[in-house]
Amino acid sequence: MASTPAQAPAAPAHPVAAHPAPALTERGRQKADRRAAILSAAARQFAERGYAGVTIEDLGAAVGVSGPAVYRHFSGKSAVLAAILEDASRSLLDGAERVLVEAPDAAAALRSLIRFHVDFALGQADVIAVQDRELEHIDVAVRHEVRSLQRRYVERWVATLAELRPDRAEVELRFRAHAAFGLLNSTPHSARTPGRRPADGTVRGILEEMAWASLMS
């Protein structure tokens, strides 16, 4: 994710924290849990078989409901795909803003941003694979929103880098950020090779070290 090359105006490195969402009722929690389960199953199936190779019935079966029951949560398969990508992009942006609010300085902020994105890359490898292959299947308006969220996420990194590397042009800093995302988002391939995956702690350490070097060299 967050590999879109389009540029946007630089954002502040330390944005104001978002207000917490109101607590859900029990019924609302159950609905949210079912929605999340459908999205998780869909991301896994889209990553393994491709968007075209998965039906609504497949999605329902994966979470123990009939295909038509999926329509209680989504208008169709394309809406499921759109939700996967939009939710992931919004989660990245929200997470980056939390990280930046809590960081005491720019160096700590960058290290925290790297750790945050490594967490995402290791935990959401299916989503990354789906983003890489299936973005064009979603509605144009939703695609625009996804890309807008991703650009804003990139700009949080660029603004942080600008504090640490005032000697570098903004265009270079943005390029470095995209290069780091390319490295971190390679985990669906590099960290999931059957029989060849290092321990999670080793993978995490390698990714964090290489990302820092690519950004600050």
Side-chain angles (χ1 to χ4, degrees):
M1 306 291 290
S3 58
T4 307
Q7 297 184 11
H14 299 280
V16 177
H19 294 294
L24 293 174
T25 63
E26 179 61 20
R27 182 179 178 185
R29 185 189 62 78
Q30 291 176 356
K31 184 176 181 180
D33 288 347
R34 177 55 57 83
R35 180 184 185 277
I38 293 170
L39 293 179
S40 178
R44 182 174 62 254
Q45 293 196 23
F46 291 159
E48 292 173 354
R49 297 158 54 190
Y51 175 79
V54 179
T55 67
I56 283 289
E57 288 71 24
D58 294 330
L59 299 182
V63 294
V65 301
S66 66
V70 176
Y71 290 108
R72 298 174 188 166
H73 303 272
F74 302 98
S75 61
K77 190 173 71 166
S78 63
V80 175
L81 175 61
I84 290 170
L85 300 182
E86 188 170 2
D87 285 5
S89 298
R90 194 174 301 280
S91 176
L92 282 171
L93 178 59
D94 289 348
E97 292 185 343
R98 288 194 299 271
V99 162
L100 294 174
V101 166
E102 295 169 2
D105 55 50
L110 184 59
R111 290 198 179 275
S112 294
L113 283 171
I114 291 171
R115 285 193 296 271
F116 169 71
H117 199 100
V118 169
D119 285 342
F120 172 81
L122 293 179
Q124 301 294 330
D126 288 335
V127 174
I128 293 172
V130 171
Q131 156 81 18
D132 287 346
R133 296 199 304 256
E134 312 293 358
L135 181 63
E136 299 308 310
H137 288 291
I138 64 176
D139 178 79
V140 172
V142 180
R143 193 186 316 155
H144 175 79
E145 176 64 12
V146 167
R147 292 200 181 279
S148 175
L149 291 166
Q150 291 175 355
R151 285 193 294 269
R152 290 162 62 192
Y153 178 65
V154 172
E155 294 312 312
R156 300 302 187 263
W157 286 66
V158 173
T160 302
L161 281 170
E163 292 189 47
L164 295 169
R165 302 301 303 269
D167 56 316
R168 302 288 185 173
E170 185 177 293
V171 65
E172 178 186 329
L173 298 179
R174 187 172 290 104
F175 180 84
R176 285 176 179 265
H178 283 293
F181 296 145
L183 166 69
L184 300 177
N185 291 347
S186 70
T187 52
H189 313 289
S190 62
R192 302 178 75 193
T193 305
R196 298 184 180 181
R197 174 180 175 139
D200 282 353
T202 300
V203 171
R204 180 180 298 279
I206 292 170
L207 291 173
E208 291 180 5
E209 178 182 354
M210 292 181 69
W212 178 266
S214 71
L215 292 164
M216 295 298 294
S217 64

